[in-house]
């Protein structure tokens, strides 16, 4: 069984990308809706929430963990890898590798939560692969609450998005990493505002592909993923918005179970 967690709804973009590619895998999802957003919290708090989430998934039988949250990936990957003896995937590396392969003018833009951007992890990992690449990042803290509230195609969201993208566009990025798993929900809008010349890198599809590659090359791939196509969704707070957005992302109705914190 693949255990996946996020601070809320965003990790469902990763669930969709994984289940499109591995339909028979068993999926256990946890969205920490009671404590979202993580992006404005301190690294210590994000780490302690991530440990609770990882422990929960493992207790329920996960054999692989995906940290489907850039914020938690930037703060807690090392800690979770030390703590568990099962594979732990994070969403940053696959997006970085794809962006480095994609850029032609060596100018990559990143939008993400405050915690992700201020961790500097994208710059560090991109420049480790190619020190000549210029990395331009902009924290976009209002996008997660707008998405969680279902403000997906409203004038307010468009205006805010434009404001976040202008500094990156004026510095002529040709590649933009959506450094938050919530943002693929606004992918069409972001692509339209970023302009035709900018290639969008979606961290949820990038991680899905790297998990598929890992499973394909692992002799016990089916044992790790399970094969019954079971889906279990847990949240720390059940809200009608979550149910509606989840249906929108996964294209099917989702039964939510409350996890007491
Ligand atoms: N989906 C999460 C991410 O990828 C963050 C949202 C939050 O701030 O909680 O960073």
């Amino acid at each position: 069984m693949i255990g996946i967690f996020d601070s809320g709804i965003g990790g469902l973009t990763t669930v969709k990308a994984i289940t499109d590619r591995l339909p028979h895998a068993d999926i256990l999802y946890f969205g920490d809706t009671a404590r979202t957003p993580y992006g404005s919290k301190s690294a210590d708090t994000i780490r302690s929430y991530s440990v609770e989430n990882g422990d929960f998934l493992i207790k329920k039988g996960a054999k692989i963990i995906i940290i489907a949250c850039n914020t938690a990936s930037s703060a807690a990957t090392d800690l979770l890898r030390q703590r568990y003896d099962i594979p732990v995937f994070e969403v940053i590396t696959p997006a970085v590798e794809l962006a480095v392969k994609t850029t032609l003018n060596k100018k990559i833009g990143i939008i993400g939560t405050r915690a992700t951007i201020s961790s500097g992890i994208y710059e560090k990992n991109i420049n480790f692969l190619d020190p000549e690449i210029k990395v331009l990042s902009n924290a976009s803290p209002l996008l997660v609450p707008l998405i969680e509230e279902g403000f997906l195609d409203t004038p307010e969201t468009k205006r805010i998005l434009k404001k976040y993208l202008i500094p990156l566009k004026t510095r002529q990025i040709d590649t933009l990493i959506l450094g938050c798993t919530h943002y693929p929900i606004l992918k069409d809008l972001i692509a339209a505002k970023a302009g035709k010349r900018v290639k969008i890198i979606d961290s949820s599809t990038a991680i899905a592909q790297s998990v598929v590659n890992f499973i394909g090359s692992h002799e016990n791939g089916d044992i790790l993923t399970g094969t019954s196509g079971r889906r279990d969704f847990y949240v720390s707070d059940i809200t009608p918005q979550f149910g509606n957005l989840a249906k929108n992302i996964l294209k099917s109705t989702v039964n939510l179970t409350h996890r007491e914190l």
Side-chain angles (χ1 to χ4, degrees):
M1 175 156 61
I2 304 179
I4 301 178
F5 78 85
D6 177 45
S7 63
I9 196 94
L12 291 181
T13 60
T14 302
V15 172
K16 176 80 173 89
I18 297 266
T19 52
D20 282 351
R21 291 162 178 78
L22 296 172
H24 51 265
D26 298 338
I27 304 288
L28 168 65
Y29 183 80
F30 174 64
D32 199 358
T33 45
R35 301 189 290 202
T36 197
Y38 282 9
S40 47
K41 307 223 164 35
S42 70
D44 279 346
T45 298
I46 298 163
R47 275 193 277 273
S48 85
Y49 291 171
S50 300
V51 165
E52 286 178 32
N53 301 341
D55 287 2
F56 169 76
L57 296 174
I58 288 188
K59 216 167 98 201
K60 291 259 167 214
K63 298 281 180 278
I64 294 179
I65 288 186
I66 302 176
I67 311 173
C69 172
N70 287 258
T71 309
S73 294
S74 67
T77 300
D78 292 347
L79 185 61
L80 297 195
R81 285 191 174 145
Q82 280 159 20
R83 191 174 172 87
Y84 309 127
D85 56 3
I86 62 170
V88 175
F89 286 86
E90 44 79 27
V91 282
I92 292 167
T93 307
V96 162
E97 287 171 354
L98 191 56
V100 168
K101 273 191 221 142
T102 303
T103 183
L104 296 175
N105 73 358
K106 293 192 187 272
K107 287 185 186 165
I108 297 178
I110 301 163
I111 50 173
T113 65
R114 257 198 202 112
T116 300
I117 297 302
S118 66
S119 75
I121 194 156
Y122 273 102
E123 284 86 340
K124 193 170 134 238
N125 291 3
I126 289 171
N127 288 140
F128 177 76
L129 294 179
D130 185 343
E132 282 178 12
I133 291 179
K134 222 172 167 43
V135 183
L136 304 143
S137 50
N138 204 7
S140 311
L142 293 173
L143 295 183
V144 167
L146 285 167
I147 292 165
E148 295 270 342
E149 284 302 317
F151 277 48
L152 304 186
D153 196 19
T154 64
E156 297 81 5
T157 303
K158 287 181 188 161
R159 263 205 309 277
I160 288 167
L161 204 47
K162 189 168 166 201
K163 192 166 158 38
Y164 286 144
L165 292 177
I166 280 177
L168 307 179
K169 278 176 75 174
T170 51
R171 310 216 356 233
Q172 281 159 356
I173 56 160
D174 73 350
T175 304
L176 175 67
I177 299 179
L178 307 186
C180 171
T181 52
H182 280 66
Y183 300 171
I185 299 166
L186 296 179
K187 193 170 176 176
D188 292 345
L189 207 56
I190 295 174
K193 293 277 171 220
K196 276 204 287 290
R197 284 205 308 264
V198 177
K199 297 262 180 330
I200 306 291
I201 306 292
D202 172 342
S203 53
S204 61
T205 49
I207 176 65
Q209 200 46 53
S210 91
V211 171
V212 169
N213 296 344
F214 171 80
I215 297 298
S217 64
H218 198 288
E219 55 176 339
N220 292 323
D222 278 354
I223 295 175
L224 296 179
T225 61
T227 53
S228 69
R230 193 187 154 134
R231 315 270 181 259
D232 289 307
F233 295 93
Y234 285 80
V235 286
S236 47
D237 186 30
I238 296 188
T239 59
Q241 300 95 287
F242 190 97
N244 293 337
L245 272 175
K247 193 168 165 196
N248 197 342
I249 297 165
L250 298 172
K251 314 286 178 231
S252 64
T253 308
V254 167
N255 289 321
L256 300 175
T257 307
H258 184 226
R259 175 192 152 204
E260 208 68 60
L261 289 175

